[in-house]
């Protein structure tokens, strides 16, 4: 967003951004990096711009409903949540705090440097969130949700999810 | 409109076919992988069909001849190798196509820029399986080759012009063939030699003509919505 937010918009942004992700409740929407802006369009009318992680991510509907509820509870009379695609969301949009929380939760955070096919991700190993070993192997590119891959730690033998780079 | 319908129907129909593997995949990880790929495609389909009109109306209430998907994506799953052959042919095509659309300024640029990152994983998944099956046992090698051969005649249709998609189709076809050939040869398999298009090949899906299994697939996909219009949970 090029335009700057008014103090009221920043306050509403903070509220909307504090909503937990429905599938990864350790993260807030702000830490996940999916909130693209909040605009006050008129008296008691607010538009929130939200971007999906994956085009088919079913969580986007729950996110929209949660944002609406939080802002309505705050006293906003009319909330509309619109989905924006560009610029496309990337795992690089996850904040440092978000990455830390993911690892703490047992999910290896995505590596910096963007999506599949990039030169960086394939050369850096993924660290086991349980024992910290970097000796881990890929079991499947797809895991419990579209945004994760399934890996196993060779050192402690525990399987774990890895938030894969996008 | 034509383009959104064509690309949207490709994604929708392949999504449904991949969803049919739920409960049938050889291992749990593959079941999850195929369902995830299907979900990505469904998301793309919803956005593309929304360019045209109401997504539910379009998906559940159109007759067979109103669908504009290529015939490749409607082909039944067959065995796992057959499905991987279909995945290889389609995901390489879709990846190259979306890369090009994402670099342009057309109406699909934003969606393509997003979807191309998802499709890169689909392509990688298909390539890895073709390599493993082709360069695996005698049985897996034979089945992988059978899958590639059986679906080859449906690949020419991928490169027919689609109104509203302004790209060089013949260059796309060349790049697709080079990419597919590279994987197939590394997998110790043979690139099929039959015609990809012409009188002995298939492909009139873009005109609304579909192969016989498609009607049955649609019946299954649409019957719930048709029996209970507007139902939701």
């Amino acid at each position: 967003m090029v335009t700057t937010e008014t103090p009221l918009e920043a306050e509403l942004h903070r509220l909307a951004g504090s909503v937990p992700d429905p599938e990864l409740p350790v993260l807030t929407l702000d830490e996940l990096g999916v909130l693209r802006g909040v605009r006050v369009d008129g008296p008691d009318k607010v538009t929130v711009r939200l971007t999906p992680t994956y085009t088919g991510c079913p969580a986007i509907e729950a996110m929209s409903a949660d944002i609406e509820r939080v802002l309505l509870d705050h006293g906003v009379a009319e909330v509309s949540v619109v989905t924006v695609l560009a610029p496309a969301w990337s795992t690089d949009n996850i904040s440092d705090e978000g990455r830390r929380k993911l690892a703490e939760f047992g999910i290896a955070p995505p590596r910096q440097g963007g999506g599949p096919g990039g030169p960086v991700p394939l050369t850096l190993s993924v660290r086991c969130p349980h024992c910290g070993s970097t000796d881990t192997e890929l079991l499947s590119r797809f895991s419990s949700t579209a945004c994760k891959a399934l890996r196993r730690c060779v050192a402690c033998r525990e399987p774990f999810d890895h938030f894969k780079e996008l | 409109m034509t383009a959104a319908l064509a690309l949207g129907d490709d994604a929708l129909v392949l999504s449904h076919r991949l969803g049919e593997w739920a409960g049938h995949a050889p291992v749990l990880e593959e079941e999850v992988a195929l369902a995830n790929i299907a979900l990505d495609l469904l998301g793309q389909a919803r956005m593309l069909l929304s360019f045209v009109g109401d997504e539910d109306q379009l998906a559940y209430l159109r007759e067979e001849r109103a669908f504009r998907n290529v015939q490749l994506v409607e082909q039944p799953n067959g065995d796992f190798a057959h499905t991987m052959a279909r995945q290889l042919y389609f995901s390489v095509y879709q990846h190259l196509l979306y890369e090009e659309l994402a670099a342009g300024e057309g109406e699909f640029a934003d969606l393509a820029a997003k979807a191309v990152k998802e499709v890169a994983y689909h392509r990688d998944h298909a390539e890895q399986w073709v390599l493993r099956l082709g360069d695996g046992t005698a049985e897996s090698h034979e089945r992988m080759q059978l899958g590639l051969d059986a679906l080859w005649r449906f690949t020419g249709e991928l490169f027919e012009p689609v109104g509203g998609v302004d790209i060089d189709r013949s260059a796309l076809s060349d790049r697709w063939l080079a990419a597919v050939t590279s994987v197939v040869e590394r997998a110790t398999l043979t690139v099929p030699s039959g015609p990809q298009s012409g009188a002995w090949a298939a492909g009139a899906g873009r005109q609304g003509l579909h192969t016989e299994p498609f009607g049955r697939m649609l019946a299954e996909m649409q019957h719930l919505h048709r029996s209970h219009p507007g139902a939701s949970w």
Side-chain angles (χ1 to χ4, degrees), chain B residues 61-137:
Chain B
L61 297 173
R62 266 183 302 160
E63 300 291 330
E64 180 182 338
R65 288 211 168 189
F67 278 80
R68 289 292 179 266
N69 54 284
V70 288
Q71 292 179 353
L72 174 67
V73 296
E74 76 201 31
Q75 296 312 303
N77 287 335
D79 63 14
F80 186 73
H82 194 89
T83 291
M84 284 307 113
R86 194 183 59 202
Q87 282 303 104
L88 178 74
Y89 291 158
F90 187 78
S91 63
V92 171
Y93 152 79
Q94 202 186 25
H95 188 236
L96 296 172
L97 174 73
Y98 281 179
E99 267 183 345
E100 207 150 322
L101 292 176
E105 289 177 352
E107 60 176 329
F108 307 122
D110 289 352
L111 173 61
K114 179 147 195 67
V116 71
K117 300 199 286 180
E118 300 164 1
V119 174
Y121 279 109
H122 306 174
R123 176 178 173 176
D124 182 53
H125 175 259
E127 290 183 353
Q128 297 301 328
W129 270 112
V130 171
L131 289 172
R132 279 174 77 177
L133 295 173
D135 199 11
T137 65

Side-chain angles (χ1 to χ4, degrees), chain B residues 217-229:
Chain B
M217 192 209 95
L218 274 190
E220 185 174 308
M221 187 177 94
Q222 296 184 333
H223 95 267
L224 193 71
H225 188 90
R226 287 182 185 268
S227 305
H228 304 277

Side-chain angles (χ1 to χ4, degrees), chain B residues 194-214:
Chain B
Q196 276 179 284
S197 55
W200 293 100
R206 295 280 190 240
Q207 287 80 53
L209 298 178
H210 295 282
T211 54
E212 189 248 344
F214 186 53

Side-chain angles (χ1 to χ4, degrees), chain A residues 5-95:
Chain A
E5 291 179 335
T6 64
L8 174 60
E9 286 169 339
E11 163 71 6
L12 297 173
H13 192 136
R14 195 187 57 73
L15 273 172
S18 67
V19 168
D21 177 272
E23 279 179 1
L24 291 165
V26 288
L27 289 190
T28 66
L29 297 187
D30 205 36
E31 288 160 347
L32 187 61
V34 292
L35 203 59
R36 286 285 166 80
V38 174
R39 198 179 62 212
V40 174
D41 288 327
D44 287 335
K45 187 161 182 282
V46 170
T47 302
V48 179
R49 292 157 71 242
L50 189 66
T51 196
T53 53
Y54 281 70
T55 46
C57 183
I60 191 109
E61 283 164 27
M63 289 179 190
S64 301
D66 289 348
I67 291 174
E68 270 181 43
R69 191 175 39 73
V70 163
L71 295 186
L72 292 175
D73 285 352
H74 189 66
V76 178
E78 195 182 338
V79 179
S80 84
V81 182
V82 294
T83 303
V84 292
L85 290 182
W89 180 84
S90 153
T91 39
D92 288 350
N93 298 142
I94 300 178
S95 70

Side-chain angles (χ1 to χ4, degrees), chain B residues 89 145 148-149 152 177 180-182 184-185 189-194:
Chain B
Y89 291 158
Q145 188 65 57
L148 291 172
D149 292 347
W152 185 250
L177 184 61
V180 166
T181 300
S182 157
V184 168
E185 288 182 347
L189 295 158
T190 311
V191 177
S193 55

